[in-house]
Amino acid sequence: MMRLTRWLVGLCGVALIMAAAAFLPRLWPDVGMPQVADTHPDTGDAALIERGRYLARAGNCIGCHTGPGGEPYAGGRRIETPFGDLYTTNLTPDAASGLGTWTAADFWRAMHHGRSRDGRLLYPAFPYPDYTQVSRADSDAIYVFLQSLEPVAADTPPHALRFPYNTQLALRIWRGLFFEPGEFRAAPDKSDAWNRGAYLVEGLGHCGACHTARGRLGQTLASADYGGGRIPGLRWTAPALSGASPMSAARAEELKTLLATGVSRRNVTSGPMAEVVFHSLQYLREADIAAMVEYLRQLPPTSPTLDGPAGLRVPPSQAKRLLKQGRALYVDHCESCHGEDGLGEPRRYPALAGNALVTANATSNVIRSVLEGGFGPSTAGNPRPYGMPPYAHQFSAQQTAAVISYIRQAWGNEASAVSPLDINR
Amino acid sequence: MPCRLLALLCLFLASPLAAQPASPVSPPIPDMDNRMAACAGCHGEYGRSQRETYYPSIAGKPAGYLYEQLLNFRAGRRHQTQMQQMLTPLSTDYMREMAAYYAGQTAARHPSDADALDPAAAARGEQLALHGDAALDVPACRDCHGAGLRGGGPYVPGLVGLRREYIEAQLGGWQSGARSALAPDCMATIAQRLSGEDMAAVAGWIAAQPVQPKAAGETEIGPLPMNCGAVR
């Protein structure tokens, strides 16, 4: 008996060693610094700087790499993650605190391989799992643009990650499991617009960083591509970009207007997406927006349940009371803008009837919108957006749940009632 | 004589308030009342806060001051998460227009603030607001905030139309450090020299003043009695 146990333990040990040996090659090639040739792009080339400025907009570098009240691109914004807080780095060419001593090869190593100049592995909150698709030529252009900025001396606050996530070993394992440097390959059977859209959405746009669900270790789940996801650190959910059926031409036109101006006939961008439009998408050429939409409208369908956790179940008798109360509140507080028919007003107040944000399985966005209100983004196409008042200080949790339950079931909307217990979760 | 005039003019031009660009003047924006519905939720219709004691009235405050505060909230230099979130996706052009819109509204006294003070407190409040207290080395409110307490320039807020509780809470904030400005921080210095009773008295007296129609040039403020870091 003893011998059998010992034998079994030994067998397990051998199996473990074999498994580790099989995994090691995944870790090993990563150990040394990837050898990267320097292309020596011309940092004085005005056209290249402009190209880089545009591409940096497409990548929304400024959105994360600008601290509150800080200089653009000088970093310092806190990024909340489930593993602790990270602070974004200074991208201006300051020698001591920024990228002043970096070469184009160093920059490419960060964008493509996720390694810093000194070889440190970078945290994937910097979306290099997406940026790895960006071409070397585009990476060089962004580098040249960043080097053209006024240097700003701004040290990055130290990251505040919990053990073991604050170790390079943890990153090495994470990368072994979830990251491989990639390269964008055009699909020959697709149109040029589709391919350009795919390049922008998958690469610089890093749309999947929010719109794809993440696993326990923060990796985006390939099985849930663009099925929507909870945004790490924020109480917002990024809705699914892939639908059950392909997007109609009319909806594609709406989406183009929404991405370019922040507002469309029926919709308004809010929360983190308003920031993306404000800092990034409004600056993109019409053809690039059209290309992104062309790619998005042909995404393969995913299950819509991936857009976030559903709320608590509300018993039918309580739901009935909530709906009655919600209807009265809607008439008093919401109807003057969103209308008796829930259709809102084009380019001013979003329609609530048929609005996927309102009826989403994950209720966090509609709850945030009612509690916090907010403006759509100021853009060239819509410089003076209308805004929604916050109701956090006017409505109790019960009233908030009531009005949301009502709009989720009025005008043909068919979504579950929302429990008052979900409001402040 | 012309020389002295010139010197005076130079002095005026060199003063920090004169160095600021004039309040932005924009043509009226169509439908601004409705565009500002998000602000009205807390600050009241036309910026006259009626229901929410701790949300200040912003009607009639100097446009430059309001614009500066919008920038401060967005940058997190003034701490209010709600304000920061609201302003994050807005252009500075729009923020200027918003400030001009509210500056063009008329402030109003809240009815319940009209006679809430006992005579002794009202007298003390009036003394602090109009004359200051030399013994405490506290200047009069109107020395900086203007004869009509309407504020001026980009950095001096108007006080008329604010609720009593709001003014008192802000004074407390300056005293405790919850609100702060660039050093030398005048309002912090002043608040630290005031007792709780003084703060209540002056807040009550200011809130009780009826709001007069704005006189032309009223928001131009002369040299300040203190050196204030916030008034750059």
Side-chain angles (χ1 to χ4, degrees), chain A residues 69 278 372 378 384-386 393, chain B residues 31 35 42 82 89 91 94 97:
Chain A
F278 181 64
E372 293 164 15
S378 296
R384 302 177 182 106
Y386 286 70
H393 61 285
Chain B
D31 205 23
R35 285 179 206 274
C42 296
Q82 182 73 68
S91 70
Y94 195 30
E97 290 166 350

Side-chain angles (χ1 to χ4, degrees), chain A residues 347-407:
Chain A
R347 296 173 55 78
R348 292 185 181 180
Y349 313 119
L352 304 179
N355 184 326
L357 181 145
V358 171
T359 56
N361 197 33
T363 52
S364 56
N365 287 6
V366 64
I367 294 174
R368 295 266 76 74
S369 298
V370 172
L371 291 180
E372 293 164 15
F375 281 95
S378 296
T379 59
N382 186 45
R384 302 177 182 106
Y386 286 70
M388 155 112 176
Y391 284 90
H393 61 285
Q394 288 195 50
F395 283 177
S396 65
Q398 164 83 20
Q399 288 173 311
T400 310
V403 81
I404 292 174
S405 297
Y406 173 70
I407 64 173

Side-chain angles (χ1 to χ4, degrees), chain A residues 85-107:
Chain A
D85 292 348
L86 292 152
Y87 290 87
T88 58
T89 51
N90 181 353
L91 301 184
T92 72
D94 182 59
S97 62
L99 305 186
T101 58
W102 285 45
T103 64
D106 295 332
F107 189 72

Side-chain angles (χ1 to χ4, degrees), chain A residues 54 60 133 168 172 175 187 205 207 209 223 228 253 294 308 358 401 405:
Chain A
Y54 180 81
N60 196 15
Q133 308 266 341
Q168 286 282 298
R172 189 167 294 283
R175 287 163 59 103
C207 309
S223 61
E253 284 308 313
E294 183 60 19
V358 171
S405 297

